Amino acid sequence: MTSESTGPGSVRPGGRTARVRSAVLRAAGDALAEHGLAGLDLADVARRAEVGRTTVYRRWGTPASLVADLLADMAEQSLPRTESGSLLGDLRANARLVRRTLADPRQGALFKAVLAAATCDPQTAAALHRFYEVRVAEWEPCVRQAVERGELPAATDTREVIRAVSAPLYYRLLTTGDPLDEAAADRAAEAAAAAARAGAFVPPTA
Amino acid sequence: MTSESTGPGSVRPGGRTARVRSAVLRAAGDALAEHGLAGLDLADVARRAEVGRTTVYRRWGTPASLVADLLADMAEQSLPRTESGSLLGDLRANARLVRRTLADPRQGALFKAVLAAATCDPQTAAALHRFYEVRVAEWEPCVRQAVERGELPAATDTREVIRAVSAPLYYRLLTTGDPLDEAAADRAAEAAAAAARAGAFVPPTA
DNA sequence: CCATTAATGGAACAGGAGTCCCGTTATGAC
DNA sequence: GTCATAACGGGACTCCTGTTCCATTAATGG
């Protein structure tokens, strides 16, 4: 154990290896969206990806590890952020983007499955946390601008405002059967903006 | 198929059968809290409950079905609701109760596992929805009273206000590694109250 | 282009999850 | 108390998940 053991795919990451990873991640996403986490069978993923079972077991080993890699891949694909000039406009754009994603049959199911996977394994949870840190950091500037414009209290926890927009949408996705319509997204944005203006996201003086 | 097939436990639900169900549900809760959904092995549950494997497979069949039954059981155990006289006070009490539950190592892990299970199976999801319907209905009156007192707009969607309190806590539980402290609970209550006062939960005139 | 060897994929193997069969236990009706 | 049978529990069996071994393929360095 003089040198850390480098897993398969790290020494020759080009060509075939990259192709295999791509195919497997795509297949894993499909499988998760279709059958959920419980139905995530590595043998099935290998079949879908037209890759040897052995390869999948060797490189990822467990469903949790595969999902963690999938999350790392998802974190890299960032969506463009629009700017509307007003806090409510920006938050609404964010809320609608999140809603569209969660309401989409494939993406919504995928996110549910990924959240489920994160509850089962610490490493997957860490990957999920990174994913949302990236997403929140992308949108946080629009709240910061609102603070600079004087729309919000100076000490506002800007990241928490962004999270407050997503929270009701995710909560609805998981705990009710109600559809995620655009009205829900707009309500989430309005509620977050109103709460922020009222100073609900100003930490109690440290 | 003249009469609907009644599953085991429905004809003689007393004595031993009830004891078995109780022991199995307790064991399932323990297993879920310890290993999460992925580690929920019916054979292991049977061992913990000191019950025959066959019995567990026959009566519940799948992990999802077992979790659904566990949820039905959890929905029956209701927690007492306190009344403080003000909207913010009531919402804060609710937020702190939810926080305590989710921050508790066993209960928190159990809720995460149950949410994960609901993403895998429609029946489990339905049981989860019922569970939260019951919980929301229990607390909704305190918002209704605030409306009657004139603290909130008349057309406020009272149930949505209660959900707005829980949402950020669940969102944090799942998507960040941050601890669920009391400050987070109070902030959730304040944000929901502020948003409600601002009319964010008044449906756009139908 | 050639050589080295990382990475893949098929096949055989092992272990465990889930099912079936049937004898045993104890519930509920009388 | 007694009876009929619902429900339980042990053990054998099957199938499938995950592992190991080794031959084949193709990425990288020269």
Side-chain angles (χ1 to χ4, degrees), chain A residues 9 11-12 51-52 54-55 58-59:
Chain A
V11 177
R12 288 182 183 175
V51 156
T54 312
T55 300
R58 185 172 31 225
R59 285 189 57 181

PDB file of all heavy atoms in Angstrom, chain A residues 9 11-12 51-52 54-55 58-59, chain C residues 4-12:
ATOM      1  N   GLY A   9     -10.225   2.840 -14.723  1.00  0.00           N
ATOM      2  CA  GLY A   9     -10.721   4.021 -15.424  1.00  0.00           C
ATOM      3  C   GLY A   9      -9.918   5.265 -15.151  1.00  0.00           C
ATOM      4  O   GLY A   9     -10.117   6.289 -15.792  1.00  0.00           O
ATOM      5  N   VAL A  11      -6.426   5.412 -15.070  1.00  0.00           N
ATOM      6  CA  VAL A  11      -5.129   5.444 -15.748  1.00  0.00           C
ATOM      7  C   VAL A  11      -5.285   5.683 -17.251  1.00  0.00           C
ATOM      8  O   VAL A  11      -4.513   6.413 -17.866  1.00  0.00           O
ATOM      9  CB  VAL A  11      -4.350   4.125 -15.497  1.00  0.00           C
ATOM     10  CG1 VAL A  11      -3.036   4.141 -16.258  1.00  0.00           C
ATOM     11  CG2 VAL A  11      -4.120   3.923 -14.014  1.00  0.00           C
ATOM     12  N   ARG A  12      -6.309   5.074 -17.798  1.00  0.00           N
ATOM     13  CA  ARG A  12      -6.585   5.274 -19.230  1.00  0.00           C
ATOM     14  C   ARG A  12      -8.030   5.736 -19.395  1.00  0.00           C
ATOM     15  O   ARG A  12      -8.904   4.973 -19.811  1.00  0.00           O
ATOM     16  CB  ARG A  12      -6.392   3.969 -20.009  1.00  0.00           C
ATOM     17  CG  ARG A  12      -4.957   3.556 -20.160  1.00  0.00           C
ATOM     18  CD  ARG A  12      -4.869   2.279 -20.974  1.00  0.00           C
ATOM     19  NE  ARG A  12      -3.502   1.807 -21.074  1.00  0.00           N
ATOM     20  CZ  ARG A  12      -3.144   0.659 -21.659  1.00  0.00           C
ATOM     21  NH1 ARG A  12      -4.086  -0.106 -22.175  1.00  0.00           N
ATOM     22  NH2 ARG A  12      -1.889   0.301 -21.716  1.00  0.00           N
ATOM     23  N   VAL A  51     -22.895  -3.307 -22.047  1.00  0.00           N
ATOM     24  CA  VAL A  51     -21.575  -3.359 -21.426  1.00  0.00           C
ATOM     25  C   VAL A  51     -21.551  -4.617 -20.564  1.00  0.00           C
ATOM     26  O   VAL A  51     -22.597  -5.092 -20.129  1.00  0.00           O
ATOM     27  CB  VAL A  51     -21.383  -2.083 -20.571  1.00  0.00           C
ATOM     28  CG1 VAL A  51     -20.357  -2.302 -19.478  1.00  0.00           C
ATOM     29  CG2 VAL A  51     -21.020  -0.901 -21.455  1.00  0.00           C
ATOM     30  N   GLY A  52     -20.389  -5.174 -20.336  1.00  0.00           N
ATOM     31  CA  GLY A  52     -20.293  -6.393 -19.534  1.00  0.00           C
ATOM     32  C   GLY A  52     -20.681  -6.148 -18.084  1.00  0.00           C
ATOM     33  O   GLY A  52     -20.382  -5.089 -17.525  1.00  0.00           O
ATOM     34  N   THR A  54     -19.500  -7.522 -15.527  1.00  0.00           N
ATOM     35  CA  THR A  54     -18.266  -7.439 -14.743  1.00  0.00           C
ATOM     36  C   THR A  54     -17.751  -6.016 -14.668  1.00  0.00           C
ATOM     37  O   THR A  54     -17.296  -5.564 -13.614  1.00  0.00           O
ATOM     38  CB  THR A  54     -17.191  -8.331 -15.370  1.00  0.00           C
ATOM     39  OG1 THR A  54     -17.758  -9.604 -15.646  1.00  0.00           O
ATOM     40  CG2 THR A  54     -16.018  -8.489 -14.437  1.00  0.00           C
ATOM     41  N   THR A  55     -17.803  -5.333 -15.792  1.00  0.00           N
ATOM     42  CA  THR A  55     -17.288  -3.961 -15.839  1.00  0.00           C
ATOM     43  C   THR A  55     -18.024  -3.065 -14.853  1.00  0.00           C
ATOM     44  O   THR A  55     -17.403  -2.309 -14.107  1.00  0.00           O
ATOM     45  CB  THR A  55     -17.447  -3.399 -17.263  1.00  0.00           C
ATOM     46  OG1 THR A  55     -16.721  -4.226 -18.161  1.00  0.00           O
ATOM     47  CG2 THR A  55     -16.925  -1.979 -17.340  1.00  0.00           C
ATOM     48  N   ARG A  58     -17.140  -3.979 -11.314  1.00  0.00           N
ATOM     49  CA  ARG A  58     -15.772  -3.621 -10.961  1.00  0.00           C
ATOM     50  C   ARG A  58     -15.619  -2.117 -10.752  1.00  0.00           C
ATOM     51  O   ARG A  58     -15.000  -1.674  -9.794  1.00  0.00           O
ATOM     52  CB  ARG A  58     -14.815  -4.100 -12.053  1.00  0.00           C
ATOM     53  CG  ARG A  58     -13.356  -3.875 -11.735  1.00  0.00           C
ATOM     54  CD  ARG A  58     -12.465  -4.550 -12.786  1.00  0.00           C
ATOM     55  NE  ARG A  58     -13.107  -4.585 -14.082  1.00  0.00           N
ATOM     56  CZ  ARG A  58     -13.126  -5.657 -14.870  1.00  0.00           C
ATOM     57  NH1 ARG A  58     -12.562  -6.778 -14.482  1.00  0.00           N
ATOM     58  NH2 ARG A  58     -13.689  -5.596 -16.042  1.00  0.00           N
ATOM     59  N   ARG A  59     -16.180  -1.315 -11.640  1.00  0.00           N
ATOM     60  CA  ARG A  59     -15.941   0.127 -11.568  1.00  0.00           C
ATOM     61  C   ARG A  59     -16.818   0.838 -10.560  1.00  0.00           C
ATOM     62  O   ARG A  59     -16.432   1.858 -10.001  1.00  0.00           O
ATOM     63  CB  ARG A  59     -16.128   0.756 -12.946  1.00  0.00           C
ATOM     64  CG  ARG A  59     -14.948   0.433 -13.844  1.00  0.00           C
ATOM     65  CD  ARG A  59     -14.984   1.206 -15.132  1.00  0.00           C
ATOM     66  NE  ARG A  59     -15.029   2.646 -14.971  1.00  0.00           N
ATOM     67  CZ  ARG A  59     -15.092   3.486 -15.999  1.00  0.00           C
ATOM     68  NH1 ARG A  59     -15.132   3.005 -17.214  1.00  0.00           N
ATOM     69  NH2 ARG A  59     -15.125   4.770 -15.798  1.00  0.00           N
TER      70      ARG A  59
ATOM     71  P    DT C   4       6.977  -5.348 -25.030  1.00  0.00           P
ATOM     72  OP1  DT C   4       8.305  -5.504 -24.390  1.00  0.00           O
ATOM     73  OP2  DT C   4       6.247  -6.527 -25.535  1.00  0.00           O
ATOM     74  O5'  DT C   4       6.042  -4.539 -24.016  1.00  0.00           O
ATOM     75  C5'  DT C   4       6.380  -3.189 -23.664  1.00  0.00           C
ATOM     76  C4'  DT C   4       5.236  -2.556 -22.893  1.00  0.00           C
ATOM     77  O4'  DT C   4       4.136  -2.246 -23.788  1.00  0.00           O
ATOM     78  C3'  DT C   4       4.652  -3.437 -21.776  1.00  0.00           C
ATOM     79  O3'  DT C   4       4.562  -2.664 -20.599  1.00  0.00           O
ATOM     80  C2'  DT C   4       3.282  -3.847 -22.316  1.00  0.00           C
ATOM     81  C1'  DT C   4       2.922  -2.637 -23.170  1.00  0.00           C
ATOM     82  N1   DT C   4       1.944  -2.899 -24.253  1.00  0.00           N
ATOM     83  C2   DT C   4       0.954  -1.973 -24.500  1.00  0.00           C
ATOM     84  O2   DT C   4       0.842  -0.935 -23.857  1.00  0.00           O
ATOM     85  N3   DT C   4       0.116  -2.291 -25.529  1.00  0.00           N
ATOM     86  C4   DT C   4       0.150  -3.432 -26.322  1.00  0.00           C
ATOM     87  O4   DT C   4      -0.667  -3.606 -27.219  1.00  0.00           O
ATOM     88  C5   DT C   4       1.189  -4.365 -26.009  1.00  0.00           C
ATOM     89  C7   DT C   4       1.312  -5.639 -26.799  1.00  0.00           C
ATOM     90  C6   DT C   4       2.028  -4.062 -24.996  1.00  0.00           C
ATOM     91  P    DT C   5       4.323  -3.416 -19.143  1.00  0.00           P
ATOM     92  OP1  DT C   5       5.091  -2.659 -18.139  1.00  0.00           O
ATOM     93  OP2  DT C   5       4.528  -4.864 -19.346  1.00  0.00           O
ATOM     94  O5'  DT C   5       2.776  -3.181 -18.854  1.00  0.00           O
ATOM     95  C5'  DT C   5       2.232  -1.849 -18.930  1.00  0.00           C
ATOM     96  C4'  DT C   5       0.722  -1.930 -19.029  1.00  0.00           C
ATOM     97  O4'  DT C   5       0.328  -2.338 -20.373  1.00  0.00           O
ATOM     98  C3'  DT C   5       0.066  -2.953 -18.087  1.00  0.00           C
ATOM     99  O3'  DT C   5      -1.150  -2.423 -17.596  1.00  0.00           O
ATOM    100  C2'  DT C   5      -0.248  -4.105 -19.004  1.00  0.00           C
ATOM    101  C1'  DT C   5      -0.682  -3.303 -20.230  1.00  0.00           C
ATOM    102  N1   DT C   5      -0.796  -4.075 -21.473  1.00  0.00           N
ATOM    103  C2   DT C   5      -1.706  -3.649 -22.419  1.00  0.00           C
ATOM    104  O2   DT C   5      -2.382  -2.667 -22.282  1.00  0.00           O
ATOM    105  N3   DT C   5      -1.769  -4.428 -23.544  1.00  0.00           N
ATOM    106  C4   DT C   5      -1.039  -5.579 -23.810  1.00  0.00           C
ATOM    107  O4   DT C   5      -1.183  -6.196 -24.858  1.00  0.00           O
ATOM    108  C5   DT C   5      -0.109  -5.971 -22.784  1.00  0.00           C
ATOM    109  C7   DT C   5       0.732  -7.199 -22.971  1.00  0.00           C
ATOM    110  C6   DT C   5      -0.033  -5.209 -21.670  1.00  0.00           C
ATOM    111  P    DA C   6      -1.228  -1.865 -16.042  1.00  0.00           P
ATOM    112  OP1  DA C   6      -0.035  -1.062 -15.763  1.00  0.00           O
ATOM    113  OP2  DA C   6      -1.585  -2.992 -15.171  1.00  0.00           O
ATOM    114  O5'  DA C   6      -2.487  -0.890 -16.149  1.00  0.00           O
ATOM    115  C5'  DA C   6      -2.394   0.280 -16.952  1.00  0.00           C
ATOM    116  C4'  DA C   6      -3.728   0.606 -17.600  1.00  0.00           C
ATOM    117  O4'  DA C   6      -3.948  -0.247 -18.774  1.00  0.00           O
ATOM    118  C3'  DA C   6      -4.947   0.402 -16.723  1.00  0.00           C
ATOM    119  O3'  DA C   6      -5.872   1.446 -17.023  1.00  0.00           O
ATOM    120  C2'  DA C   6      -5.490  -0.950 -17.136  1.00  0.00           C
ATOM    121  C1'  DA C   6      -5.134  -1.007 -18.608  1.00  0.00           C
ATOM    122  N9   DA C   6      -4.823  -2.352 -19.117  1.00  0.00           N
ATOM    123  C8   DA C   6      -4.003  -3.287 -18.553  1.00  0.00           C
ATOM    124  N7   DA C   6      -3.897  -4.402 -19.255  1.00  0.00           N
ATOM    125  C5   DA C   6      -4.711  -4.165 -20.359  1.00  0.00           C
ATOM    126  C6   DA C   6      -5.029  -4.957 -21.482  1.00  0.00           C
ATOM    127  N6   DA C   6      -4.547  -6.193 -21.691  1.00  0.00           N
ATOM    128  N1   DA C   6      -5.874  -4.438 -22.393  1.00  0.00           N
ATOM    129  C2   DA C   6      -6.356  -3.198 -22.196  1.00  0.00           C
ATOM    130  N3   DA C   6      -6.114  -2.365 -21.185  1.00  0.00           N
ATOM    131  C4   DA C   6      -5.286  -2.914 -20.292  1.00  0.00           C
ATOM    132  P    DA C   7      -7.230   1.627 -16.114  1.00  0.00           P
ATOM    133  OP1  DA C   7      -7.609   3.047 -16.155  1.00  0.00           O
ATOM    134  OP2  DA C   7      -7.034   0.942 -14.813  1.00  0.00           O
ATOM    135  O5'  DA C   7      -8.299   0.790 -16.939  1.00  0.00           O
ATOM    136  C5'  DA C   7      -8.644   1.215 -18.250  1.00  0.00           C
ATOM    137  C4'  DA C   7      -9.543   0.185 -18.890  1.00  0.00           C
ATOM    138  O4'  DA C   7      -8.772  -0.988 -19.233  1.00  0.00           O
ATOM    139  C3'  DA C   7     -10.696  -0.302 -18.018  1.00  0.00           C
ATOM    140  O3'  DA C   7     -11.923   0.122 -18.596  1.00  0.00           O
ATOM    141  C2'  DA C   7     -10.550  -1.822 -17.968  1.00  0.00           C
ATOM    142  C1'  DA C   7      -9.642  -2.095 -19.165  1.00  0.00           C
ATOM    143  N9   DA C   7      -8.807  -3.294 -18.996  1.00  0.00           N
ATOM    144  C8   DA C   7      -7.968  -3.577 -17.964  1.00  0.00           C
ATOM    145  N7   DA C   7      -7.337  -4.732 -18.079  1.00  0.00           N
ATOM    146  C5   DA C   7      -7.807  -5.236 -19.278  1.00  0.00           C
ATOM    147  C6   DA C   7      -7.529  -6.428 -19.973  1.00  0.00           C
ATOM    148  N6   DA C   7      -6.668  -7.355 -19.537  1.00  0.00           N
ATOM    149  N1   DA C   7      -8.169  -6.620 -21.144  1.00  0.00           N
ATOM    150  C2   DA C   7      -9.028  -5.694 -21.586  1.00  0.00           C
ATOM    151  N3   DA C   7      -9.366  -4.537 -21.020  1.00  0.00           N
ATOM    152  C4   DA C   7      -8.714  -4.363 -19.857  1.00  0.00           C
ATOM    153  P    DT C   8     -13.329  -0.419 -18.108  1.00  0.00           P
ATOM    154  OP1  DT C   8     -14.310   0.644 -18.382  1.00  0.00           O
ATOM    155  OP2  DT C   8     -13.180  -0.978 -16.747  1.00  0.00           O
ATOM    156  O5'  DT C   8     -13.616  -1.621 -19.110  1.00  0.00           O
ATOM    157  C5'  DT C   8     -13.615  -1.370 -20.511  1.00  0.00           C
ATOM    158  C4'  DT C   8     -13.776  -2.676 -21.268  1.00  0.00           C
ATOM    159  O4'  DT C   8     -12.707  -3.576 -20.901  1.00  0.00           O
ATOM    160  C3'  DT C   8     -15.079  -3.425 -20.977  1.00  0.00           C
ATOM    161  O3'  DT C   8     -15.778  -3.615 -22.197  1.00  0.00           O
ATOM    162  C2'  DT C   8     -14.635  -4.734 -20.325  1.00  0.00           C
ATOM    163  C1'  DT C   8     -13.222  -4.896 -20.846  1.00  0.00           C
ATOM    164  N1   DT C   8     -12.332  -5.674 -19.962  1.00  0.00           N
ATOM    165  C2   DT C   8     -11.855  -6.898 -20.397  1.00  0.00           C
ATOM    166  O2   DT C   8     -12.134  -7.382 -21.481  1.00  0.00           O
ATOM    167  N3   DT C   8     -11.026  -7.540 -19.512  1.00  0.00           N
ATOM    168  C4   DT C   8     -10.622  -7.084 -18.260  1.00  0.00           C
ATOM    169  O4   DT C   8      -9.866  -7.746 -17.561  1.00  0.00           O
ATOM    170  C5   DT C   8     -11.160  -5.808 -17.876  1.00  0.00           C
ATOM    171  C7   DT C   8     -10.794  -5.215 -16.539  1.00  0.00           C
ATOM    172  C6   DT C   8     -11.976  -5.167 -18.731  1.00  0.00           C
ATOM    173  P    DG C   9     -17.340  -4.076 -22.140  1.00  0.00           P
ATOM    174  OP1  DG C   9     -17.966  -3.588 -23.378  1.00  0.00           O
ATOM    175  OP2  DG C   9     -17.903  -3.709 -20.831  1.00  0.00           O
ATOM    176  O5'  DG C   9     -17.251  -5.668 -22.205  1.00  0.00           O
ATOM    177  C5'  DG C   9     -16.677  -6.275 -23.349  1.00  0.00           C
ATOM    178  C4'  DG C   9     -16.741  -7.787 -23.219  1.00  0.00           C
ATOM    179  O4'  DG C   9     -15.721  -8.235 -22.284  1.00  0.00           O
ATOM    180  C3'  DG C   9     -18.059  -8.338 -22.676  1.00  0.00           C
ATOM    181  O3'  DG C   9     -18.346  -9.562 -23.331  1.00  0.00           O
ATOM    182  C2'  DG C   9     -17.761  -8.570 -21.210  1.00  0.00           C
ATOM    183  C1'  DG C   9     -16.318  -9.038 -21.287  1.00  0.00           C
ATOM    184  N9   DG C   9     -15.536  -8.861 -20.067  1.00  0.00           N
ATOM    185  C8   DG C   9     -15.637  -7.837 -19.161  1.00  0.00           C
ATOM    186  N7   DG C   9     -14.784  -7.939 -18.163  1.00  0.00           N
ATOM    187  C5   DG C   9     -14.093  -9.110 -18.442  1.00  0.00           C
ATOM    188  C6   DG C   9     -13.049  -9.746 -17.715  1.00  0.00           C
ATOM    189  O6   DG C   9     -12.515  -9.391 -16.662  1.00  0.00           O
ATOM    190  N1   DG C   9     -12.624 -10.923 -18.346  1.00  0.00           N
ATOM    191  C2   DG C   9     -13.143 -11.421 -19.519  1.00  0.00           C
ATOM    192  N2   DG C   9     -12.614 -12.549 -19.974  1.00  0.00           N
ATOM    193  N3   DG C   9     -14.123 -10.833 -20.208  1.00  0.00           N
ATOM    194  C4   DG C   9     -14.544  -9.682 -19.608  1.00  0.00           C
ATOM    195  P    DG C  10     -19.817 -10.075 -23.476  1.00  0.00           P
ATOM    196  OP1  DG C  10     -20.273  -9.765 -24.844  1.00  0.00           O
ATOM    197  OP2  DG C  10     -20.602  -9.597 -22.321  1.00  0.00           O
ATOM    198  O5'  DG C  10     -19.644 -11.653 -23.348  1.00  0.00           O
ATOM    199  C5'  DG C  10     -18.690 -12.323 -24.156  1.00  0.00           C
ATOM    200  C4'  DG C  10     -18.139 -13.536 -23.439  1.00  0.00           C
ATOM    201  O4'  DG C  10     -17.300 -13.124 -22.339  1.00  0.00           O
ATOM    202  C3'  DG C  10     -19.206 -14.475 -22.854  1.00  0.00           C
ATOM    203  O3'  DG C  10     -18.914 -15.802 -23.244  1.00  0.00           O
ATOM    204  C2'  DG C  10     -19.082 -14.268 -21.343  1.00  0.00           C
ATOM    205  C1'  DG C  10     -17.604 -13.912 -21.196  1.00  0.00           C
ATOM    206  N9   DG C  10     -17.288 -13.107 -20.028  1.00  0.00           N
ATOM    207  C8   DG C  10     -17.845 -11.894 -19.682  1.00  0.00           C
ATOM    208  N7   DG C  10     -17.345 -11.396 -18.582  1.00  0.00           N
ATOM    209  C5   DG C  10     -16.406 -12.328 -18.180  1.00  0.00           C
ATOM    210  C6   DG C  10     -15.550 -12.334 -17.054  1.00  0.00           C
ATOM    211  O6   DG C  10     -15.440 -11.483 -16.164  1.00  0.00           O
ATOM    212  N1   DG C  10     -14.747 -13.481 -17.014  1.00  0.00           N
ATOM    213  C2   DG C  10     -14.773 -14.485 -17.939  1.00  0.00           C
ATOM    214  N2   DG C  10     -13.943 -15.508 -17.742  1.00  0.00           N
ATOM    215  N3   DG C  10     -15.577 -14.496 -19.003  1.00  0.00           N
ATOM    216  C4   DG C  10     -16.355 -13.389 -19.058  1.00  0.00           C
ATOM    217  P    DA C  11     -19.984 -16.956 -22.963  1.00  0.00           P
ATOM    218  OP1  DA C  11     -19.981 -17.822 -24.170  1.00  0.00           O
ATOM    219  OP2  DA C  11     -21.242 -16.354 -22.478  1.00  0.00           O
ATOM    220  O5'  DA C  11     -19.330 -17.777 -21.757  1.00  0.00           O
ATOM    221  C5'  DA C  11     -17.925 -18.065 -21.768  1.00  0.00           C
ATOM    222  C4'  DA C  11     -17.567 -18.800 -20.490  1.00  0.00           C
ATOM    223  O4'  DA C  11     -17.223 -17.834 -19.463  1.00  0.00           O
ATOM    224  C3'  DA C  11     -18.692 -19.646 -19.912  1.00  0.00           C
ATOM    225  O3'  DA C  11     -18.173 -20.834 -19.345  1.00  0.00           O
ATOM    226  C2'  DA C  11     -19.293 -18.740 -18.849  1.00  0.00           C
ATOM    227  C1'  DA C  11     -18.042 -18.039 -18.324  1.00  0.00           C
ATOM    228  N9   DA C  11     -18.289 -16.741 -17.720  1.00  0.00           N
ATOM    229  C8   DA C  11     -19.207 -15.795 -18.118  1.00  0.00           C
ATOM    230  N7   DA C  11     -19.198 -14.708 -17.381  1.00  0.00           N
ATOM    231  C5   DA C  11     -18.220 -14.955 -16.436  1.00  0.00           C
ATOM    232  C6   DA C  11     -17.723 -14.188 -15.369  1.00  0.00           C
ATOM    233  N6   DA C  11     -18.162 -12.968 -15.059  1.00  0.00           N
ATOM    234  N1   DA C  11     -16.741 -14.727 -14.612  1.00  0.00           N
ATOM    235  C2   DA C  11     -16.287 -15.953 -14.931  1.00  0.00           C
ATOM    236  N3   DA C  11     -16.675 -16.765 -15.919  1.00  0.00           N
ATOM    237  C4   DA C  11     -17.649 -16.198 -16.635  1.00  0.00           C
ATOM    238  P    DA C  12     -19.141 -22.005 -18.876  1.00  0.00           P
ATOM    239  OP1  DA C  12     -18.983 -23.096 -19.851  1.00  0.00           O
ATOM    240  OP2  DA C  12     -20.478 -21.451 -18.582  1.00  0.00           O
ATOM    241  O5'  DA C  12     -18.478 -22.470 -17.498  1.00  0.00           O
ATOM    242  C5'  DA C  12     -17.079 -22.247 -17.274  1.00  0.00           C
ATOM    243  C4'  DA C  12     -16.853 -21.980 -15.798  1.00  0.00           C
ATOM    244  O4'  DA C  12     -17.178 -20.593 -15.480  1.00  0.00           O
ATOM    245  C3'  DA C  12     -17.723 -22.841 -14.868  1.00  0.00           C
ATOM    246  O3'  DA C  12     -16.918 -23.330 -13.801  1.00  0.00           O
ATOM    247  C2'  DA C  12     -18.797 -21.865 -14.397  1.00  0.00           C
ATOM    248  C1'  DA C  12     -18.008 -20.570 -14.336  1.00  0.00           C
ATOM    249  N9   DA C  12     -18.821 -19.348 -14.384  1.00  0.00           N
ATOM    250  C8   DA C  12     -19.847 -19.062 -15.243  1.00  0.00           C
ATOM    251  N7   DA C  12     -20.386 -17.877 -15.058  1.00  0.00           N
ATOM    252  C5   DA C  12     -19.658 -17.353 -14.001  1.00  0.00           C
ATOM    253  C6   DA C  12     -19.726 -16.119 -13.327  1.00  0.00           C
ATOM    254  N6   DA C  12     -20.609 -15.162 -13.627  1.00  0.00           N
ATOM    255  N1   DA C  12     -18.844 -15.904 -12.316  1.00  0.00           N
ATOM    256  C2   DA C  12     -17.968 -16.872 -12.025  1.00  0.00           C
ATOM    257  N3   DA C  12     -17.801 -18.067 -12.592  1.00  0.00           N
ATOM    258  C4   DA C  12     -18.684 -18.239 -13.589  1.00  0.00           C
TER     259       DA C  12
END
